[in-house]
Amino acid sequence: MKYLVMIQARCGSSRLPNKVLKDIAGKTDLQWVIERVRRSRLIDEVMVVTSIDKNNLPLIRLCTELGVRVFVGSENDVLDRYYQAARLLQPEYVVRITADCPLFDWRYLDMAIEQLKDGTDYMAELTESFPDGLDIEIIRYPALKRMWKEAGLSSEREHVTMYIKNHPEQFAIQNLECPIAGIGAKRWTLDQDEDYELICNIYNHFIPEGKEDFVTEDILKYLQSNKHLEQLNGKIARNEGLAKSLANDKAVNMSVH
């Protein structure tokens, strides 16, 4: 297996509880993410990775109904969750996508894979040129294994690729640049009530028209005609969860790894 997409999902979000199961135009957020990722031409499989918390049982049932492989792992050590899931299938590359991205554009995933250079350990949108919510990270399996062994900060265990970002000199890193300039400040992720309102507005515009395969350009055109919608969540800071983790960072016990 070359490209295994692992969608990170759980029901315990503090800012927007059960966000992955919220209804958006007749389907759950997670189902939309899975369906949009599966439109990729170049990936081999999609897997959902969640935690052992019992609150995730509805999520696990949904994955079963959708015929998606699901892995249950550590609640707080997300890096361990990813590594243990990947270890079962040992793909050449792990593609990390989070379940709070219901506007995910599968064409950019294919673009990333086509641009991936031989020997690259890690590819991501390092310059944040994509809207928040179109995030893609591609990690070579040996690099994931190395992170799992060496990451010693709580932030590096919670945020899967933080160890690479903290030690860029140790890895071959490649940037993924958005082909549409000037849209990196847009917020299309699902993390708060205001995000949910914006995303529902977008879906409720396209789905009644039978257009489930709407893409970034379609969204931009719709928002250009409805500029008030972006004011709904325009003041929310990017990567709030990461900022909180860094503020509370601490060393972890490495003996278990």
Side-chain angles (χ1 to χ4, degrees):
M1 180 182 294
K2 192 159 189 178
Y3 297 105
L4 171 64
V5 177
M6 300 172 68
I7 300 175
Q8 182 176 322
R10 67 187 184 95
C11 293
S13 172
S14 59
R15 290 180 291 275
L16 189 61
N18 292 314
K19 64 182 180 181
V20 299
L21 299 179
K22 277 192 168 295
D23 181 270
I24 302 173
K27 297 181 184 179
T28 65
D29 160 73
L30 180 58
Q31 184 171 351
W32 282 120
V33 176
I34 291 169
E35 290 182 2
R36 291 177 73 84
V37 171
R38 278 178 160 175
R39 291 181 182 272
S40 165
R41 298 177 290 105
L42 302 178
I43 62 173
D44 296 296
E45 184 173 344
V46 176
M47 172 193 285
V48 172
V49 289
T50 190
S51 73
I52 200 168
D53 191 293
K54 64 180 181 181
N55 292 323
N56 292 319
L57 287 174
L59 179 157
I60 296 169
R61 284 195 292 268
L62 175 63
C63 291
T64 301
E65 293 169 3
L66 297 175
V68 179
R69 194 193 300 257
V70 60
F71 178 86
V72 179
S74 171
E75 171 69 17
N76 297 315
D77 191 339
V78 188
L79 176 55
D80 182 70
R81 193 192 311 169
Y82 261 78
Y83 173 69
Q84 298 300 341
R87 190 166 64 96
L88 297 175
L89 301 178
Q90 297 200 15
E92 290 184 44
Y93 296 93
V94 166
V95 180
R96 178 175 179 250
I97 293 168
T98 54
D100 51 9
C101 299
L103 300 179
F104 182 82
D105 193 328
W106 61 93
R107 301 172 309 154
Y108 296 146
L109 174 53
D110 286 342
M111 181 186 78
I113 290 173
E114 289 171 344
Q115 292 180 5
L116 190 67
K117 298 175 182 177
D118 290 341
T120 291
D121 291 314
Y122 176 62
M123 173 189 258
E125 45 142 351
L126 305 174
T127 55
E128 295 187 345
S129 59
F130 289 84
D132 190 4
L134 299 189
D135 313 59
I136 299 170
E137 294 180 292
I138 302 179
I139 313 151
R140 200 161 64 92
Y141 179 73
L144 178 64
K145 185 175 183 179
R146 180 176 178 180
M147 287 191 294
W148 174 78
K149 285 182 176 180
E150 298 180 4
L153 296 175
S154 57
S155 62
E156 294 172 342
R157 309 305 300 190
E158 180 182 355
H159 299 276
V160 177
T161 56
M162 183 56 62
Y163 183 80
I164 287 180
K165 295 169 184 175
N166 287 343
H167 303 276
E169 72 285 351
Q170 299 180 20
F171 299 89
I173 298 175
Q174 184 178 345
N175 182 48
L176 178 65
E177 193 74 16
C178 183
I180 304 174
I183 64 172
K186 294 183 181 297
R187 181 180 173 89
W188 295 355
T189 189
L190 178 60
D191 196 48
Q192 300 200 25
D193 287 319
E194 295 87 345
D195 301 325
Y196 181 58
E197 187 175 352
L198 171 65
I199 290 167
C200 283
N201 265 284
I202 293 170
Y203 265 90
N204 289 334
H205 171 72
F206 290 108
I207 300 308
E209 298 178 351
K211 190 173 176 60
E212 292 191 355
D213 61 345
F214 63 91
V215 294
T216 300
E217 290 88 343
D218 298 318
I219 300 170
L220 291 171
K221 183 177 179 180
Y222 174 62
L223 293 177
Q224 181 64 26
S225 301
N226 297 271
K227 294 183 178 181
H228 65 284
L229 292 177
E230 290 189 281
Q231 297 174 11
L232 291 170
N233 65 351
K235 295 183 179 180
I236 302 174
R238 191 165 185 155
N239 296 326
E240 283 185 331
L242 173 59
K244 182 178 179 181
S245 295
L246 293 175
N248 297 301
D249 219 358
K250 61 182 179 180
V252 295
N253 182 4
M254 295 291 290
S255 62
V256 296
H257 304 302

